[in-house]
Amino acid sequence: MIANNNRAVIGKLANRNIKFNGTRNVFILITIILSVSLLGVMSLTQSAREQNIRKQLNMVQHVMYEYVNEEQIEKLKAFDEIDFLTPAKFGKSFKIQDKMIHPIYFEKDTKSIKTPAIIHGNYPKKLNEIAVYKPMLNLFHNAKNIGDTIRIKFLDGREEEFNISGFVEGNENSNVFQVLFSKEYSESGEQLKDFPYTVLCKIKNADRMSKNEFLDTVRRIGRYAGIERKNINPHNAFANSLSLSKQNILFIIGLSIGILFVSILVVYNVFYISVLENIQRFGQLRTIGTSKKQIRAIVRREGKILFSKGTPIGLLISWIISYLINPDGWSWRYTIILSLIVTIAEYITIIISIRKPAKIASSISPVEASRFSGNKHNEVKETNNLHRKLSPYSMAQISLKRNKNKSFLTLVSLGVGGILFIMSSTLIVSTSLEKYSRQGLYEFGEYIISFDYNTVQTIDKGVTGIQLDNPINKELIQKINELPEVNKVIEFHRTSVKFDYKDVINVGDYFSAFSKDDTDTINKTLSEGIFDYNEMIKNDEILIVFNKVAQEIYGWKFEIGDKVDFRYSDGKKEVEKSFKIVGSIEKPSNITYHSGWFLLPVEKLEVLFPGLNTIDTLVVSINDFENEGDIAESKIYNLIDRNPLLEIHTLKQNLIEDKEAFNLLYKSIIGLSGFIILFSLINLVNTIITNIISRKKEFAMLQSIGLTNKQLIKMIQFEGLGLSFGNSIITLIFGSSLGYGLIKVLQHVGATYVHYHFPMYYFIVYIMIIVMVPLIVSNILVKSFQKESLVSRLRHVD
């Protein structure tokens, strides 16, 4: 082959091989398309999500400076680093029926900072004009349209009349409504005139900063303007967007590597089988002078041609799916960049996949090729047993043993898909939605009874003010306990205090109580210091909860050994008292679910507030929540509705909200697992089809000496079932082990709502699919080639 030392001949030979191997090409193309589309959808969807978030963040303030006076506003305006600022006011929130109302004022033109837009009517200008969410009018009988008048009773008890100038955009199903007031009202209206300004700012080139650089900048600006650190409120979502999420990146990379690994197995196996079937053809090429290097080039060229055909289709599919999932985050720039990365990754995958098959093809000499039989590539050891019973089952065993490489590769590919599917389904069946929703106070019961938000905000002494005549008293607790559906009622004690520490003066918080029975739990969650229950009562000592929050807000932590000065009303008089910090708790537990920063023994709370009922929350547990929950809820509401100072929250509503989020997660997990299994099934089907087609002559010879059609079908089906059985064992052992390990890891990092359960239903469905596919495929193929006469099949040339 003197004149064949050129790329054109290699290309022609590769193209002829591709035309000759139609079935193989279909499987490789499907694998490439699936791999590229899956990688593309994952990366493009994540990119679109991030772009969507960035677009939203471009329309929000970077930082809010709170409790700002006019002099400080002028100082802020003088900073060149501030790109834009706008003042706003936020009044005291209150409730009308079950809806939360937020009185606000912001300027009409807030430029690049998005505020709720006026969708109908006009921005309020006069003292008595307001703009509202249209659904809010359902709370008022006589108001329906713009121009109508409504009377609003505010938190301080004042009732004022306003004309509706416009409707503000908002979610119609929301339980929170904003009421927009005019600038005139913000300066002289009773509900806003005494409130300090909040300044919303955009920082120049903030999107080019690191997170730490951004935080340092906004804090430095605030410090120079005379604004305390606690009143500097950076936009957390924007700050977090400045640093790449390592978890998301590692997850995408890990998942991509897994997909590419499965692709390598499938493409390798398909090419490997194809090479074995075409060894004689490669031998003929070697006979006429083709070198080993040229043989390898032909096989590689086949892979590249198939890659060039499958990749554009896969990318197009990924573009369409990604756009449909998140059209708002679509970006041609990132689409092209990520598509290029996916293309390179897939190209490397194909090159790796065909490297070994190409080497095998080039290593066979012309003489070996002429004698080669795909079924002799792995010789079966000679047996001393000269008389063996032949049956479809025993012949299937022989076939699997003499094709060990094919069988092994198919098993590995199937096993990877099965393992990932079992791990995913293990996570689903091991996750308890109810336990997830029961995190926090719902861990103890299904109904939470607490003080009405409006009342707590109105009373100067906060929670303690209501506790002077506490509606959560022994009578109410007894009535709830007497309900036949109620299992028990759990009390939580907490009172309002104000504290001074370092540069923080007169800040409101709570004294929360714990009992001696909680000592072990606190010792397990204590991050700093030590404590003694009795000494805490005797020596005026306290524990700090979530010290890191103080660090974030104030720039300092509560130090062990320091004293904190408190002021509070004990029910009769104002008291000033200092407490020593003896420990710090960072890990959440049932003790901290309902606490403020300060934790002390319940007996100490009784000493500090003599004669005061310090209960501020009840958690009601039902005997049989599933069957008796609705009945109990109705009875509890009847008891609570009699007292306007109380409100109730239910586990039922919590479950509804969490279910929607979990359903999306489950669908994503199962969808991804389905893709992986599809890869594996492609490999299995390819193995069965190529096995049957390459052995047409062998099957014809067996039938010529008495093998019936029924026995032939059984033999081939037993071969497929042998692979299915082997895969089932691999999936069961490794899938269940890794699934169990996954649950243990999640439990270790604090996911208390997961407990291991084997996904029996999912496993059975998976086994049914793995069993049915080889049965159906082999049955269809055998019947199709049986249409050809036995003589024609005996004359078949491999």
Side-chain angles (χ1 to χ4, degrees):
M1 198 169 177
I2 298 171
N4 74 348
N5 191 20
N6 58 76
R7 294 183 179 180
V9 172
I10 290 172
K12 288 178 181 179
L13 290 171
N15 280 317
R16 286 177 184 175
N17 279 349
I18 284 186
K19 291 178 181 178
F20 183 77
N21 293 291
T23 305
R24 179 205 67 176
N25 299 339
V26 169
F27 286 112
I28 293 177
L29 282 173
I30 292 174
T31 302
I32 292 172
I33 291 168
L34 279 175
S35 177
V36 170
S37 59
L38 187 53
L39 289 173
V41 168
M42 281 197 316
S43 56
L44 291 174
T45 302
Q46 179 64 21
S47 171
R49 178 177 169 275
E50 290 179 0
Q51 291 307 308
N52 202 20
I53 291 172
R54 284 187 177 275
K55 285 180 183 178
Q56 293 172 6
L57 292 176
N58 284 337
M59 300 301 294
V60 302
Q61 71 281 354
H62 295 152
V63 60
M64 291 195 302
Y65 294 106
E66 300 171 337
Y67 296 94
V68 176
N69 56 41
E70 292 184 3
E71 181 184 350
Q72 290 170 324
I73 292 175
E74 293 304 315
K75 288 183 179 180
L76 290 172
K77 287 180 179 178
F79 277 92
D80 291 334
E81 290 165 293
I82 293 181
D83 186 44
F84 172 74
L85 65 79
T86 182
K89 281 192 176 184
F90 302 94
K92 277 192 174 181
S93 300
F94 59 97
K95 277 189 172 182
I96 298 178
Q97 297 178 26
D98 61 340
K99 307 295 183 183
M100 185 69 71
I101 312 297
H102 292 319
I104 62 169
Y105 156 74
F106 52 79
E107 293 185 333
K108 183 177 182 180
D109 182 13
T110 55
K111 295 185 179 177
S112 59
I113 297 178
K114 182 175 174 58
T115 49
I118 306 294
I119 53 175
H120 296 293
N122 300 305
Y123 179 89
K125 296 179 180 178
K126 298 179 181 179
L127 182 69
N128 67 335
E129 286 185 339
I130 58 172
V132 300
Y133 288 179
K134 190 169 184 179
M136 180 179 163
L137 298 185
N138 295 328
L139 303 175
F140 303 91
H141 298 298
N142 300 322
K144 295 185 182 297
N145 297 304
I146 294 169
D148 290 350
T149 299
I150 61 172
R151 294 186 66 82
I152 300 177
K153 186 174 183 181
F154 292 95
L155 197 60
D156 59 4
R158 286 192 177 96
E159 198 169 9
E160 299 183 41
E161 189 171 275
F162 298 94
N163 292 327
I164 300 171
S165 67
F167 292 136
V168 179
E169 67 176 347
N171 182 0
E172 293 190 2
N173 298 319
S174 175
N175 289 319
V176 179
F177 298 138
Q178 290 182 335
V179 178
L180 175 61
F181 292 85
S182 65
K183 183 175 183 179
E184 185 179 353
Y185 189 90
S186 74
E187 294 172 346
S188 56
E190 289 296 330
Q191 300 303 319
L192 290 178
K193 67 178 182 179
D194 295 327
F195 275 84
Y197 282 101
T198 294
V199 179
L200 286 60
C201 296
K202 295 288 284 279
I203 306 298
K204 286 181 181 177
N205 300 320
D207 55 344
R208 301 177 189 173
M209 299 178 182
S210 67
K211 180 178 179 179
N212 289 335
E213 186 182 356
F214 167 72
L215 293 175
D216 289 342
T217 300
V218 297
R219 287 166 182 165
R220 174 172 51 79
I221 292 172
R223 185 167 62 250
Y224 287 149
I227 301 168
E228 295 181 47
R229 175 167 170 148
K230 66 179 181 179
N231 295 327
I232 301 172
N233 186 5
H235 197 291
N236 288 332
F238 177 79
N240 291 333
S241 73
L242 299 176
S243 59
L244 292 172
S245 173
K246 291 182 180 179
Q247 287 183 334
N248 286 347
I249 292 173
L250 289 174
F251 177 75
I252 294 294
I253 291 174
L255 206 53
S256 299
I257 290 172
I259 292 168
L260 291 173
F261 174 70
V262 175
S263 300
I264 288 171
L265 285 176
V266 175
V267 176
Y268 171 76
N269 197 21
V270 174
F271 260 104
Y272 176 79
I273 294 170
S274 173
V275 165
L276 293 185
E277 292 172 357
N278 290 282
I279 284 295
Q280 291 182 345
R281 186 170 295 136
F282 290 126
Q284 291 171 355
L285 290 173
R286 290 293 309 280
T287 302
I288 60 175
T290 310
S291 67
K292 291 183 178 182
K293 186 177 179 180
Q294 289 172 324
I295 294 292
R296 288 196 296 269
I298 291 170
V299 177
R300 284 197 296 267
R301 181 66 65 87
E302 289 182 50
K304 292 174 183 178
I305 292 170
L306 292 171
F307 160 79
S308 66
K309 290 181 178 180
T311 301
I313 299 172
L315 288 176
L316 181 60
I317 292 171
S318 69
W319 293 352
I320 294 170
I321 294 174
S322 301
Y323 180 80
L324 292 175
I325 291 174
N326 194 344
D328 294 334
W330 181 263
S331 164
W332 274 112
R333 179 191 171 197
Y334 286 100
T335 298
I336 292 170
I337 292 171
L338 291 171
S339 296
L340 183 61
I341 293 171
V342 169
T343 300
I344 293 170
E346 189 65 25
Y347 180 78
I348 294 171
T349 299
I350 296 299
I351 295 301
I352 293 172
S353 303
I354 63 179
R355 185 173 178 273
K356 183 68 181 291
K359 188 176 179 181
I360 293 172
S362 65
S363 65
I364 303 294
S365 69
V367 176
E368 289 175 315
S370 64
R371 298 173 179 174
F372 181 82
S373 167
N375 293 327
K376 293 179 182 178
H377 192 259
N378 291 294
E379 293 290 350
V380 181
K381 249 185 177 181
E382 291 292 338
T383 177
N384 294 323
N385 185 5
L386 300 179
H387 302 281
R388 288 180 291 181
K389 180 182 177 182
L390 291 180
S391 66
Y393 176 71
S394 64
M395 292 177 72
Q397 279 186 309
I398 294 170
S399 178
L400 288 172
K401 287 179 181 179
R402 69 184 176 182
N403 293 287
K404 287 182 181 178
N405 284 354
K406 288 183 185 179
S407 303
F408 175 76
L409 289 171
T410 306
L411 280 175
V412 170
S413 176
L414 284 169
V416 170
I419 289 167
L420 289 174
F421 178 72
I422 294 301
M423 286 180 68
S424 302
S425 53
T426 297
L427 179 60
I428 291 173
V429 301
S430 300
T431 301
S432 170
L433 176 58
E434 183 170 335
K435 286 184 178 179
Y436 179 82
S437 298
R438 279 186 180 275
Q439 293 179 106
L441 289 181
Y442 288 117
E443 179 182 321
F444 306 103
E446 294 76 34
Y447 300 96
I448 298 173
I449 301 169
S450 58
F451 298 139
D452 177 70
Y453 177 87
N454 280 358
T455 308
V456 174
Q457 295 298 310
T458 305
I459 296 179
D460 290 335
K461 295 174 183 177
V463 169
T464 307
I466 304 176
Q467 290 170 334
L468 292 172
D469 186 18
N470 199 336
I472 305 179
N473 49 37
K474 289 183 179 178
E475 183 183 355
L476 175 64
I477 295 171
Q478 183 179 347
K479 286 181 179 178
I480 296 173
N481 267 318
E482 287 174 353
L483 297 176
E485 297 84 11
V486 171
N487 177 31
K488 62 179 177 179
V489 179
I490 302 168
E491 306 168 5
F492 287 88
H493 295 254
R494 191 173 70 167
T495 56
S496 297
V497 296
K498 292 187 176 181
F499 73 92
D500 303 339
Y501 183 73
K502 293 190 176 181
D503 59 341
V504 171
I505 306 297
N506 208 37
V507 174
D509 204 78
Y510 299 97
F511 275 155
S512 303
F514 69 97
S515 68
K516 199 164 188 175
D517 294 337
D518 299 321
T519 301
D520 288 341
T521 301
I522 292 179
N523 276 323
K524 291 176 182 177
T525 57
L526 202 66
S527 57
E528 288 183 274
I530 56 172
F531 78 100
D532 180 273
Y533 191 84
N534 294 325
E535 290 297 313
M536 287 187 71
I537 298 172
K538 181 180 176 182
N539 298 328
D540 294 337
E541 297 174 345
I542 57 170
L543 297 172
I544 301 297
V545 178
F546 303 134
N547 216 349
K548 288 181 180 178
V549 178
Q551 174 76 47
E552 178 66 25
I553 296 174
Y554 301 116
W556 47 253
K557 295 195 303 181
F558 292 97
E559 301 293 340
I560 306 299
D562 283 0
K563 287 195 173 183
V564 183
D565 299 323
F566 291 94
R567 285 181 299 282
Y568 57 88
S569 171
D570 67 358
K572 297 178 181 178
K573 62 183 184 299
E574 294 296 318
V575 178
E576 293 187 8
K577 200 173 184 68
S578 297
F579 284 76
K580 181 182 177 182
I581 301 169
V582 294
S584 175
I585 300 170
E586 291 298 339
K587 293 181 180 179
S589 70
N590 58 341
I591 314 301
T592 61
Y593 289 154
H594 192 59
S595 71
W597 260 323
F598 308 107
L599 202 61
L600 73 174
V602 67
E603 290 87 348
K604 185 66 176 183
L605 203 63
E606 293 171 358
V607 172
L608 297 174
F609 300 87
L612 189 72
N613 176 2
T614 58
I615 299 173
D616 86 321
T617 298
L618 296 179
V619 178
V620 182
S621 171
I622 306 301
N623 289 316
D624 186 351
F625 176 60
E626 188 173 339
N627 296 318
E628 300 179 342
D630 291 340
I631 300 171
E633 184 173 323
S634 176
K635 293 179 179 179
I636 293 170
Y637 266 112
N638 286 336
L639 291 174
I640 301 307
D641 282 347
R642 299 173 191 170
N643 197 317
L645 297 177
L646 300 178
E647 63 183 9
I648 185 169
H649 303 276
T650 70
L651 174 65
K652 183 178 179 180
Q653 184 59 38
N654 216 31
L655 284 167
I656 292 171
E657 294 170 0
D658 291 337
K659 185 177 180 180
E660 186 176 343
F662 265 80
N663 283 341
L664 179 61
L665 176 64
Y666 291 164
K667 288 176 183 177
S668 301
I669 291 173
I670 292 298
L672 184 60
S673 301
F675 264 106
I676 302 297
I677 291 173
L678 193 54
F679 277 119
S680 305
L681 290 177
I682 289 170
N683 202 4
L684 176 61
V685 172
N686 171 70
T687 303
I688 294 170
I689 291 175
T690 53
N691 199 24
I692 292 173
I693 292 173
S694 65
R695 294 164 64 195
K696 280 175 72 173
K697 187 172 182 179
E698 175 191 332
F699 294 153
M701 290 175 65
L702 289 171
Q703 286 191 291
S704 69
I705 59 173
L707 186 72
T708 65
N709 287 338
K710 190 175 181 181
Q711 288 174 322
L712 176 60
I713 292 173
K714 279 187 177 181
M715 184 183 79
I716 297 172
Q717 287 179 340
F718 278 137
E719 289 181 26
L721 290 174
L723 294 173
S724 299
F725 178 75
N727 169 60
S728 302
I729 299 299
I730 293 172
T731 299
L732 183 61
I733 294 173
F734 291 99
S736 57
S737 300
L738 291 173
Y740 180 79
L742 173 64
I743 300 305
K744 286 299 178 184
V745 168
L746 290 173
Q747 288 176 339
H748 180 71
V749 298
T752 57
Y753 49 88
V754 293
H755 295 280
Y756 179 75
H757 293 285
F758 181 75
M760 182 58 72
Y761 169 77
Y762 290 92
F763 182 68
I764 291 172
V765 170
Y766 175 73
I767 295 300
M768 287 174 63
I769 294 171
I770 293 298
V771 168
M772 292 301 295
V773 166
L775 292 178
I776 294 171
V777 172
S778 57
N779 197 44
I780 292 172
L781 283 175
V782 171
K783 285 185 177 180
S784 68
F785 77 66
Q786 280 177 351
K787 294 175 182 178
E788 189 179 352
S789 68
L790 188 62
V791 175
S792 298
R793 281 184 278 144
L794 284 169
R795 290 174 178 171
H796 176 75
V797 179
D798 295 326

